Amino acid sequence: MSEPGSSPLPPARVLVAKSSLDGHWRGVAVVARALREAGFEVILGGMLRPSEMASVAAAEDVDLVGINVGGRVEVVERALDEMEAAGLGDVPVFVGGTVPPQAIPRLTDRGVGVFPPGSSLSAIVEEARRLTGRAFPAQRL
């Protein structure tokens, strides 16, 4: 909450992108909509290479990056490296989609929130709120 008489914080900005060339867009679209409905400003990046994710994150001055893994965790790791090299190492990241089980510890060790298939939208939104430090009125998802 903001102090009386002060202006409220602008909505947190979230880049949502895909890391692979698969044709599955439903999860990305559903997560983007849930984040918008929860008060976030969502930048839908589409399919981006790791360097493009870092570039768009910097250009859009995002508070959070959400990446659809599509089974290619090494692409996510390269995106994390590119963000770090671009001075965006403090921008939190969460991932979802097909995450190989053996990759989950590798990602969580790097501070990445992981949401494999079956994760609830409310859990994703709550993690986005936690990672950005923004509290919005609770909504049912």
Side-chain angles (χ1 to χ4, degrees):
M1 298 239 58
S2 54
E3 294 294 318
S6 68
S7 59
L9 288 174
R13 296 170 58 84
V14 182
L15 169 63
V16 176
K18 288 179 55 67
S19 68
S20 68
L21 297 175
D22 69 25
H24 300 101
W25 284 90
R26 182 176 293 159
V28 172
V30 169
V31 169
R33 182 174 180 157
L35 291 169
R36 279 190 186 107
E37 288 177 356
F40 291 89
E41 181 179 343
V42 177
I43 297 96
L44 190 54
M47 285 186 265
L48 299 175
R49 292 184 175 103
S51 61
E52 294 170 325
M53 288 181 201
S55 179
V56 172
E60 293 289 345
D61 192 27
V62 299
D63 302 297
L64 178 63
V65 175
I67 303 172
N68 173 270
V69 175
R72 304 221 25 234
V73 72
E74 65 278 356
V75 176
V76 174
E77 291 172 319
R78 286 197 308 267
L80 295 170
D81 294 341
E82 292 278 351
M83 288 177 60
E84 212 168 277
L88 302 170
D90 60 337
V91 175
V93 174
F94 71 94
V95 300
T98 306
V99 182
Q102 68 275 16
I104 293 173
R106 289 180 10 209
L107 294 171
T108 57
D109 286 349
R110 293 189 71 174
V112 175
V114 180
F115 295 93
S119 299
S120 73
L121 289 175
S122 59
I124 295 167
V125 168
E126 285 308 312
E127 179 72 352
R129 289 177 176 153
R130 186 188 71 74
L131 290 170
T132 61
R134 304 287 174 96
F136 302 103
Q139 296 181 353
R140 293 190 93 123
L141 299 176

